[in-house]
Amino acid sequence: MTTAVPSGQPREGTVLALDFGQRRTGLAIGELTLGIAHPLKLVETTDADQRLDRIAATVREWAPKLLVLGLPVRDDGAEHPLAAAVLAFRDSLEHRFGLPVRLVDERFSSHAASLALADAGVRGRRQKEHLDSLAAREILQGFFDANSA
């Protein structure tokens, strides 16, 4: 697999993806050279500092070279009400970790994650604990797929 690498992006190393939510933030992990994303964990908190502290533990453990953050967009392409909060979160990530952050259109990532869980026999309320990390996996896999040639 040949990968078209955007300027300023590492060619190899771990990538941490985040599906930001004001209550739950899903995390996924992958390797640039493999281009395969895996759900990792859920950070559940409404406190911004606590969210960053929990993400910091994951950054220390996995030592990513790049962060990928889902940017919510309405189905029609219009700005999503949560977009401003995601952009502020991106700024916090860049400041705290000094890593490049790539924004990825996360439209339909939660829907795709929900369908994957349903296919695995996980439905209804049982999806809640897995949905956000699987959505982060969808975001990261979309990033990998868009950057491969």
Side-chain angles (χ1 to χ4, degrees), residues 67-95:
L67 304 177
V68 171
L69 177 61
L71 179 64
V73 179
R74 290 187 184 272
D75 293 351
D76 64 1
E79 185 172 314
H80 190 280
L82 195 56
V86 169
L87 294 174
F89 182 58
R90 176 203 53 196
D91 295 345
S92 295
L93 290 169
E94 288 176 338
H95 178 73

PDB file of all heavy atoms in Angstrom, residues 67-95:
ATOM      1  N   LEU A  67      -2.682  13.060  15.907  1.00  0.00           N
ATOM      2  CA  LEU A  67      -4.037  12.925  16.420  1.00  0.00           C
ATOM      3  C   LEU A  67      -5.012  13.204  15.283  1.00  0.00           C
ATOM      4  O   LEU A  67      -4.788  14.113  14.479  1.00  0.00           O
ATOM      5  CB  LEU A  67      -4.287  13.903  17.570  1.00  0.00           C
ATOM      6  CG  LEU A  67      -3.336  13.831  18.765  1.00  0.00           C
ATOM      7  CD1 LEU A  67      -3.681  14.912  19.785  1.00  0.00           C
ATOM      8  CD2 LEU A  67      -3.376  12.456  19.407  1.00  0.00           C
ATOM      9  N   VAL A  68      -6.074  12.428  15.226  1.00  0.00           N
ATOM     10  CA  VAL A  68      -7.132  12.623  14.235  1.00  0.00           C
ATOM     11  C   VAL A  68      -8.413  12.865  15.013  1.00  0.00           C
ATOM     12  O   VAL A  68      -8.779  12.077  15.890  1.00  0.00           O
ATOM     13  CB  VAL A  68      -7.269  11.399  13.303  1.00  0.00           C
ATOM     14  CG1 VAL A  68      -8.505  11.517  12.429  1.00  0.00           C
ATOM     15  CG2 VAL A  68      -6.018  11.233  12.459  1.00  0.00           C
ATOM     16  N   LEU A  69      -9.085  13.949  14.702  1.00  0.00           N
ATOM     17  CA  LEU A  69     -10.273  14.371  15.434  1.00  0.00           C
ATOM     18  C   LEU A  69     -11.450  14.489  14.487  1.00  0.00           C
ATOM     19  O   LEU A  69     -11.353  15.144  13.449  1.00  0.00           O
ATOM     20  CB  LEU A  69      -9.986  15.719  16.112  1.00  0.00           C
ATOM     21  CG  LEU A  69     -11.121  16.384  16.885  1.00  0.00           C
ATOM     22  CD1 LEU A  69     -11.601  15.505  18.040  1.00  0.00           C
ATOM     23  CD2 LEU A  69     -10.656  17.745  17.402  1.00  0.00           C
ATOM     24  N   GLY A  70     -12.538  13.855  14.854  1.00  0.00           N
ATOM     25  CA  GLY A  70     -13.746  13.938  14.051  1.00  0.00           C
ATOM     26  C   GLY A  70     -14.401  15.303  14.173  1.00  0.00           C
ATOM     27  O   GLY A  70     -14.591  15.815  15.276  1.00  0.00           O
ATOM     28  N   LEU A  71     -14.719  15.895  13.029  1.00  0.00           N
ATOM     29  CA  LEU A  71     -15.417  17.184  12.989  1.00  0.00           C
ATOM     30  C   LEU A  71     -16.851  16.931  12.555  1.00  0.00           C
ATOM     31  O   LEU A  71     -17.087  16.456  11.436  1.00  0.00           O
ATOM     32  CB  LEU A  71     -14.740  18.141  12.007  1.00  0.00           C
ATOM     33  CG  LEU A  71     -15.395  19.516  11.866  1.00  0.00           C
ATOM     34  CD1 LEU A  71     -15.320  20.299  13.170  1.00  0.00           C
ATOM     35  CD2 LEU A  71     -14.733  20.292  10.734  1.00  0.00           C
ATOM     36  N   PRO A  72     -17.816  17.211  13.421  1.00  0.00           N
ATOM     37  CA  PRO A  72     -19.208  16.959  13.049  1.00  0.00           C
ATOM     38  C   PRO A  72     -19.676  17.939  11.978  1.00  0.00           C
ATOM     39  O   PRO A  72     -19.404  19.133  12.042  1.00  0.00           O
ATOM     40  CB  PRO A  72     -19.975  17.151  14.359  1.00  0.00           C
ATOM     41  CG  PRO A  72     -19.104  18.027  15.194  1.00  0.00           C
ATOM     42  CD  PRO A  72     -17.685  17.758  14.767  1.00  0.00           C
ATOM     43  N   VAL A  73     -20.361  17.384  10.993  1.00  0.00           N
ATOM     44  CA  VAL A  73     -20.930  18.154   9.889  1.00  0.00           C
ATOM     45  C   VAL A  73     -22.347  17.632   9.691  1.00  0.00           C
ATOM     46  O   VAL A  73     -22.587  16.423   9.762  1.00  0.00           O
ATOM     47  CB  VAL A  73     -20.098  17.946   8.589  1.00  0.00           C
ATOM     48  CG1 VAL A  73     -20.692  18.726   7.433  1.00  0.00           C
ATOM     49  CG2 VAL A  73     -18.645  18.332   8.818  1.00  0.00           C
ATOM     50  N   ARG A  74     -23.287  18.529   9.447  1.00  0.00           N
ATOM     51  CA  ARG A  74     -24.662  18.094   9.183  1.00  0.00           C
ATOM     52  C   ARG A  74     -24.713  17.272   7.889  1.00  0.00           C
ATOM     53  O   ARG A  74     -23.841  17.404   7.039  1.00  0.00           O
ATOM     54  CB  ARG A  74     -25.594  19.294   9.062  1.00  0.00           C
ATOM     55  CG  ARG A  74     -25.821  20.012  10.366  1.00  0.00           C
ATOM     56  CD  ARG A  74     -26.913  21.074  10.154  1.00  0.00           C
ATOM     57  NE  ARG A  74     -27.121  21.851  11.337  1.00  0.00           N
ATOM     58  CZ  ARG A  74     -27.974  21.522  12.309  1.00  0.00           C
ATOM     59  NH1 ARG A  74     -28.669  20.415  12.222  1.00  0.00           N
ATOM     60  NH2 ARG A  74     -28.128  22.301  13.359  1.00  0.00           N
ATOM     61  N   ASP A  75     -25.737  16.469   7.761  1.00  0.00           N
ATOM     62  CA  ASP A  75     -25.886  15.624   6.577  1.00  0.00           C
ATOM     63  C   ASP A  75     -25.831  16.417   5.281  1.00  0.00           C
ATOM     64  O   ASP A  75     -25.310  15.932   4.271  1.00  0.00           O
ATOM     65  CB  ASP A  75     -27.209  14.845   6.630  1.00  0.00           C
ATOM     66  CG  ASP A  75     -27.219  13.809   7.745  1.00  0.00           C
ATOM     67  OD1 ASP A  75     -26.166  13.578   8.359  1.00  0.00           O
ATOM     68  OD2 ASP A  75     -28.296  13.226   7.993  1.00  0.00           O
ATOM     69  N   ASP A  76     -26.330  17.651   5.312  1.00  0.00           N
ATOM     70  CA  ASP A  76     -26.346  18.483   4.098  1.00  0.00           C
ATOM     71  C   ASP A  76     -25.048  19.276   3.909  1.00  0.00           C
ATOM     72  O   ASP A  76     -24.935  20.088   2.995  1.00  0.00           O
ATOM     73  CB  ASP A  76     -27.542  19.430   4.116  1.00  0.00           C
ATOM     74  CG  ASP A  76     -27.502  20.455   5.251  1.00  0.00           C
ATOM     75  OD1 ASP A  76     -26.519  20.464   6.037  1.00  0.00           O
ATOM     76  OD2 ASP A  76     -28.446  21.249   5.360  1.00  0.00           O
ATOM     77  N   GLY A  77     -24.061  19.049   4.786  1.00  0.00           N
ATOM     78  CA  GLY A  77     -22.776  19.729   4.679  1.00  0.00           C
ATOM     79  C   GLY A  77     -22.679  21.010   5.484  1.00  0.00           C
ATOM     80  O   GLY A  77     -21.608  21.605   5.572  1.00  0.00           O
ATOM     81  N   ALA A  78     -23.778  21.449   6.067  1.00  0.00           N
ATOM     82  CA  ALA A  78     -23.778  22.677   6.872  1.00  0.00           C
ATOM     83  C   ALA A  78     -23.055  22.447   8.195  1.00  0.00           C
ATOM     84  O   ALA A  78     -22.862  21.309   8.636  1.00  0.00           O
ATOM     85  CB  ALA A  78     -25.214  23.131   7.140  1.00  0.00           C
ATOM     86  N   GLU A  79     -22.650  23.537   8.836  1.00  0.00           N
ATOM     87  CA  GLU A  79     -21.946  23.444  10.112  1.00  0.00           C
ATOM     88  C   GLU A  79     -22.844  22.839  11.181  1.00  0.00           C
ATOM     89  O   GLU A  79     -24.014  23.194  11.318  1.00  0.00           O
ATOM     90  CB  GLU A  79     -21.472  24.829  10.559  1.00  0.00           C
ATOM     91  CG  GLU A  79     -20.634  24.767  11.818  1.00  0.00           C
ATOM     92  CD  GLU A  79     -19.995  26.095  12.165  1.00  0.00           C
ATOM     93  OE1 GLU A  79     -19.435  26.733  11.254  1.00  0.00           O
ATOM     94  OE2 GLU A  79     -20.068  26.484  13.342  1.00  0.00           O
ATOM     95  N   HIS A  80     -22.296  21.946  11.938  1.00  0.00           N
ATOM     96  CA  HIS A  80     -22.993  21.275  13.034  1.00  0.00           C
ATOM     97  C   HIS A  80     -22.880  22.143  14.287  1.00  0.00           C
ATOM     98  O   HIS A  80     -21.853  22.803  14.489  1.00  0.00           O
ATOM     99  CB  HIS A  80     -22.338  19.915  13.267  1.00  0.00           C
ATOM    100  CG  HIS A  80     -23.083  19.029  14.187  1.00  0.00           C
ATOM    101  ND1 HIS A  80     -23.015  19.150  15.556  1.00  0.00           N
ATOM    102  CD2 HIS A  80     -23.906  17.990  13.935  1.00  0.00           C
ATOM    103  CE1 HIS A  80     -23.771  18.222  16.109  1.00  0.00           C
ATOM    104  NE2 HIS A  80     -24.326  17.503  15.149  1.00  0.00           N
ATOM    105  N   PRO A  81     -23.892  22.162  15.155  1.00  0.00           N
ATOM    106  CA  PRO A  81     -23.820  22.975  16.377  1.00  0.00           C
ATOM    107  C   PRO A  81     -22.634  22.637  17.284  1.00  0.00           C
ATOM    108  O   PRO A  81     -22.150  23.487  18.016  1.00  0.00           O
ATOM    109  CB  PRO A  81     -25.134  22.658  17.098  1.00  0.00           C
ATOM    110  CG  PRO A  81     -26.053  22.156  16.049  1.00  0.00           C
ATOM    111  CD  PRO A  81     -25.192  21.513  14.999  1.00  0.00           C
ATOM    112  N   LEU A  82     -22.127  21.418  17.219  1.00  0.00           N
ATOM    113  CA  LEU A  82     -21.010  21.009  18.060  1.00  0.00           C
ATOM    114  C   LEU A  82     -19.648  21.366  17.454  1.00  0.00           C
ATOM    115  O   LEU A  82     -18.615  21.240  18.112  1.00  0.00           O
ATOM    116  CB  LEU A  82     -21.091  19.491  18.301  1.00  0.00           C
ATOM    117  CG  LEU A  82     -20.252  18.882  19.407  1.00  0.00           C
ATOM    118  CD1 LEU A  82     -20.520  19.543  20.764  1.00  0.00           C
ATOM    119  CD2 LEU A  82     -20.494  17.390  19.495  1.00  0.00           C
ATOM    120  N   ALA A  83     -19.628  21.868  16.229  1.00  0.00           N
ATOM    121  CA  ALA A  83     -18.359  22.141  15.531  1.00  0.00           C
ATOM    122  C   ALA A  83     -17.472  23.121  16.299  1.00  0.00           C
ATOM    123  O   ALA A  83     -16.256  22.906  16.399  1.00  0.00           O
ATOM    124  CB  ALA A  83     -18.630  22.657  14.122  1.00  0.00           C
ATOM    125  N   ALA A  84     -18.022  24.163  16.850  1.00  0.00           N
ATOM    126  CA  ALA A  84     -17.214  25.150  17.580  1.00  0.00           C
ATOM    127  C   ALA A  84     -16.547  24.509  18.796  1.00  0.00           C
ATOM    128  O   ALA A  84     -15.365  24.776  19.087  1.00  0.00           O
ATOM    129  CB  ALA A  84     -18.070  26.338  18.005  1.00  0.00           C
ATOM    130  N   ALA A  85     -17.267  23.645  19.499  1.00  0.00           N
ATOM    131  CA  ALA A  85     -16.689  22.956  20.658  1.00  0.00           C
ATOM    132  C   ALA A  85     -15.572  22.011  20.223  1.00  0.00           C
ATOM    133  O   ALA A  85     -14.546  21.893  20.900  1.00  0.00           O
ATOM    134  CB  ALA A  85     -17.770  22.190  21.415  1.00  0.00           C
ATOM    135  N   VAL A  86     -15.739  21.362  19.081  1.00  0.00           N
ATOM    136  CA  VAL A  86     -14.703  20.459  18.565  1.00  0.00           C
ATOM    137  C   VAL A  86     -13.458  21.247  18.171  1.00  0.00           C
ATOM    138  O   VAL A  86     -12.330  20.827  18.453  1.00  0.00           O
ATOM    139  CB  VAL A  86     -15.239  19.618  17.389  1.00  0.00           C
ATOM    140  CG1 VAL A  86     -14.122  18.876  16.688  1.00  0.00           C
ATOM    141  CG2 VAL A  86     -16.299  18.642  17.883  1.00  0.00           C
ATOM    142  N   LEU A  87     -13.635  22.397  17.554  1.00  0.00           N
ATOM    143  CA  LEU A  87     -12.484  23.221  17.175  1.00  0.00           C
ATOM    144  C   LEU A  87     -11.736  23.736  18.406  1.00  0.00           C
ATOM    145  O   LEU A  87     -10.502  23.783  18.419  1.00  0.00           O
ATOM    146  CB  LEU A  87     -12.927  24.368  16.269  1.00  0.00           C
ATOM    147  CG  LEU A  87     -13.463  23.930  14.900  1.00  0.00           C
ATOM    148  CD1 LEU A  87     -14.007  25.130  14.135  1.00  0.00           C
ATOM    149  CD2 LEU A  87     -12.399  23.198  14.101  1.00  0.00           C
ATOM    150  N   ALA A  88     -12.466  24.089  19.443  1.00  0.00           N
ATOM    151  CA  ALA A  88     -11.826  24.503  20.704  1.00  0.00           C
ATOM    152  C   ALA A  88     -11.085  23.322  21.328  1.00  0.00           C
ATOM    153  O   ALA A  88      -9.975  23.481  21.856  1.00  0.00           O
ATOM    154  CB  ALA A  88     -12.872  25.056  21.668  1.00  0.00           C
ATOM    155  N   PHE A  89     -11.665  22.135  21.235  1.00  0.00           N
ATOM    156  CA  PHE A  89     -11.025  20.922  21.739  1.00  0.00           C
ATOM    157  C   PHE A  89      -9.739  20.634  20.958  1.00  0.00           C
ATOM    158  O   PHE A  89      -8.715  20.283  21.538  1.00  0.00           O
ATOM    159  CB  PHE A  89     -12.008  19.751  21.648  1.00  0.00           C
ATOM    160  CG  PHE A  89     -11.490  18.449  22.181  1.00  0.00           C
ATOM    161  CD1 PHE A  89     -11.062  18.333  23.492  1.00  0.00           C
ATOM    162  CD2 PHE A  89     -11.459  17.331  21.369  1.00  0.00           C
ATOM    163  CE1 PHE A  89     -10.597  17.120  23.990  1.00  0.00           C
ATOM    164  CE2 PHE A  89     -10.993  16.118  21.849  1.00  0.00           C
ATOM    165  CZ  PHE A  89     -10.568  16.013  23.160  1.00  0.00           C
ATOM    166  N   ARG A  90      -9.785  20.825  19.637  1.00  0.00           N
ATOM    167  CA  ARG A  90      -8.579  20.663  18.814  1.00  0.00           C
ATOM    168  C   ARG A  90      -7.467  21.576  19.313  1.00  0.00           C
ATOM    169  O   ARG A  90      -6.324  21.153  19.465  1.00  0.00           O
ATOM    170  CB  ARG A  90      -8.875  20.970  17.351  1.00  0.00           C
ATOM    171  CG  ARG A  90      -7.606  20.895  16.482  1.00  0.00           C
ATOM    172  CD  ARG A  90      -7.675  21.679  15.217  1.00  0.00           C
ATOM    173  NE  ARG A  90      -8.062  23.063  15.467  1.00  0.00           N
ATOM    174  CZ  ARG A  90      -8.492  23.882  14.527  1.00  0.00           C
ATOM    175  NH1 ARG A  90      -8.599  23.475  13.283  1.00  0.00           N
ATOM    176  NH2 ARG A  90      -8.820  25.125  14.811  1.00  0.00           N
ATOM    177  N   ASP A  91      -7.812  22.837  19.573  1.00  0.00           N
ATOM    178  CA  ASP A  91      -6.822  23.795  20.067  1.00  0.00           C
ATOM    179  C   ASP A  91      -6.234  23.335  21.401  1.00  0.00           C
ATOM    180  O   ASP A  91      -5.022  23.436  21.630  1.00  0.00           O
ATOM    181  CB  ASP A  91      -7.434  25.184  20.206  1.00  0.00           C
ATOM    182  CG  ASP A  91      -7.846  25.785  18.869  1.00  0.00           C
ATOM    183  OD1 ASP A  91      -7.410  25.273  17.810  1.00  0.00           O
ATOM    184  OD2 ASP A  91      -8.619  26.761  18.878  1.00  0.00           O
ATOM    185  N   SER A  92      -7.081  22.796  22.273  1.00  0.00           N
ATOM    186  CA  SER A  92      -6.616  22.286  23.567  1.00  0.00           C
ATOM    187  C   SER A  92      -5.678  21.097  23.381  1.00  0.00           C
ATOM    188  O   SER A  92      -4.664  20.990  24.072  1.00  0.00           O
ATOM    189  CB  SER A  92      -7.804  21.859  24.435  1.00  0.00           C
ATOM    190  OG  SER A  92      -8.607  22.966  24.760  1.00  0.00           O
ATOM    191  N   LEU A  93      -6.010  20.205  22.448  1.00  0.00           N
ATOM    192  CA  LEU A  93      -5.157  19.043  22.171  1.00  0.00           C
ATOM    193  C   LEU A  93      -3.793  19.486  21.652  1.00  0.00           C
ATOM    194  O   LEU A  93      -2.757  18.992  22.107  1.00  0.00           O
ATOM    195  CB  LEU A  93      -5.819  18.125  21.139  1.00  0.00           C
ATOM    196  CG  LEU A  93      -7.061  17.360  21.586  1.00  0.00           C
ATOM    197  CD1 LEU A  93      -7.732  16.709  20.378  1.00  0.00           C
ATOM    198  CD2 LEU A  93      -6.727  16.328  22.641  1.00  0.00           C
ATOM    199  N   GLU A  94      -3.798  20.418  20.698  1.00  0.00           N
ATOM    200  CA  GLU A  94      -2.534  20.903  20.127  1.00  0.00           C
ATOM    201  C   GLU A  94      -1.667  21.559  21.195  1.00  0.00           C
ATOM    202  O   GLU A  94      -0.463  21.317  21.265  1.00  0.00           O
ATOM    203  CB  GLU A  94      -2.803  21.877  18.984  1.00  0.00           C
ATOM    204  CG  GLU A  94      -3.326  21.209  17.731  1.00  0.00           C
ATOM    205  CD  GLU A  94      -3.691  22.190  16.637  1.00  0.00           C
ATOM    206  OE1 GLU A  94      -3.938  23.390  16.935  1.00  0.00           O
ATOM    207  OE2 GLU A  94      -3.749  21.759  15.474  1.00  0.00           O
ATOM    208  N   HIS A  95      -2.285  22.375  22.027  1.00  0.00           N
ATOM    209  CA  HIS A  95      -1.553  23.079  23.087  1.00  0.00           C
ATOM    210  C   HIS A  95      -1.005  22.096  24.127  1.00  0.00           C
ATOM    211  O   HIS A  95       0.156  22.197  24.535  1.00  0.00           O
ATOM    212  CB  HIS A  95      -2.464  24.107  23.751  1.00  0.00           C
ATOM    213  CG  HIS A  95      -1.814  24.834  24.883  1.00  0.00           C
ATOM    214  ND1 HIS A  95      -0.850  25.787  24.696  1.00  0.00           N
ATOM    215  CD2 HIS A  95      -1.979  24.709  26.227  1.00  0.00           C
ATOM    216  CE1 HIS A  95      -0.442  26.244  25.869  1.00  0.00           C
ATOM    217  NE2 HIS A  95      -1.117  25.606  26.813  1.00  0.00           N
TER     218      HIS A  95
END
